Amino acid sequence: MHRVWNFNAGPSPMPLPVLEEIRDEFTDYRGTGMGIIEMSHRSGEFQALLAETKALLAELLGLTEGQEIVFIQGGGSMQFVMEAYNFLRTRAAYADTGVWAHKARDAAAFFGEAYDANSAKDRNYSYIPDTYDIRPGTDYLHITSNNTIYGTEYWTFPDVNVPVVCDMSSDILSRRVDCNQFAMIWAGIQKNLGAAGTALAIIKKEFLETARTDVPAFLQYRTFVEKDSAYNTPAVFCIYTLNKMLHWIKNMGGADAMEIRNKKKANLLYAVIDGSGGFYRGHAEPAHRSRMNVTFNLASPELEKDFIARAKENGFAGVGGHRLVGGCRVSLYNAVTPEAAEAMADFMKEYMRTRG
Ligand SMILES: Cc1ncc(COP(=O)(O)O)c(C=O)c1O
């Protein structure tokens, strides 16, 4: 079997044993004589899978306040719209940490005042600001816990007196986080937790009660809670892959084990960057570095192009930076193995030896 070292930023690799398990039961799910994508979402089998997936999420994320868990199609981008449509009554604050924060804020502007509570623009989004300017009457503060494009991550979360909504799309379950501090968390599952096509949202009941009711039923979180994510046909295959990933994470030792694994991988690459005497230039300031997306530049766009091409030739996929910012990016989500990170670190050292 041919498998490359895969560092794509999302969709991104899945663990091989998980893919194999999915393959093995694709045509016959647990003796039903049909695959999971062929059966009714109202069937006992799918209902059991859904319930188990929610229970696993609650367990692995350490939810203690009986938060509601729902699955909604439309990915992260739909969540930008839904969070504002449901919860923005007057104004909402956005932590300006990069492209995804802008998209969230711009979607919210259709529903009321959406303003930047701070901004990391002054240093090209290389850090996470730690002060928040919250205006009176603010309904919530939106943050992006990991900035997939710039490669920065929150290591301390805001202490503010408004509900905090966290876009955890690119670091959910990659480390231990106190999830009970957020009024709502949502995440596209396609980076750390499964196949693209659904987002998950975790909402505190008291926050849900503040949601508007003059919103089309399909765009109300309340509808998804009341109908247990099956108001319409849910993304059954995505939820199934999520279930498999959650079992895999649990078997690996849960959020703490993911954190150790992810820290180890990121450290390997940052050590190469820091030891390269400026050949590799890390984008994020060290105190704000992401363990999920290691972003860096070389001396010129030409050299970067060559680096990415040589990486590809050597079996490393997905190391080009985001189309909006260029440079290089190595994404190290849960499924990326420590061996893959080691191979990448060795390749970077070797490339520097020959071109430096
Ligand atoms: C942090 C973050 N939020 C939101 C999104 C948007 O997600 P989607 O492509 O599922 O709409 C992304 C996509 O990469 C992301 O990285």
Side-chain angles (χ1 to χ4, degrees), residues 9-11 74-80 99-101 103 142 144-149 167-171 186-191 196-199 293 322 329 333:
S77 300
M78 174 70 109
Q79 292 309 299
F80 293 149
V99 172
W100 297 114
K103 294 208 170 173
H142 172 106
T144 317
S145 53
N146 181 74
N147 295 281
T148 323
I149 294 176
D167 168 4
M168 237 183 237
S169 292
S170 53
D171 64 350
W186 59 254
I189 68 165
Q190 66 266 29
K191 299 171 194 297
T198 197
N293 314 98
H322 190 277
R329 170 175 59 175
Y333 301 125

Side-chain angles (χ1 to χ4, degrees), residues 57-58 61 63 66-70 79 166 168 172 179-180 182-187 200-205 207 221:
L57 269 173
L61 290 168
L63 305 182
Q67 290 96 323
E68 303 287 0
I69 301 175
V70 291
Q79 292 309 299
C166 183
M168 237 183 237
I172 189 163
C179 291
N180 299 297
F182 302 110
M184 176 160 85
I185 294 168
W186 59 254
L200 61 88
I202 298 162
I203 318 166
K204 276 195 182 157
K205 288 189 174 109
F207 189 54
Y221 287 109

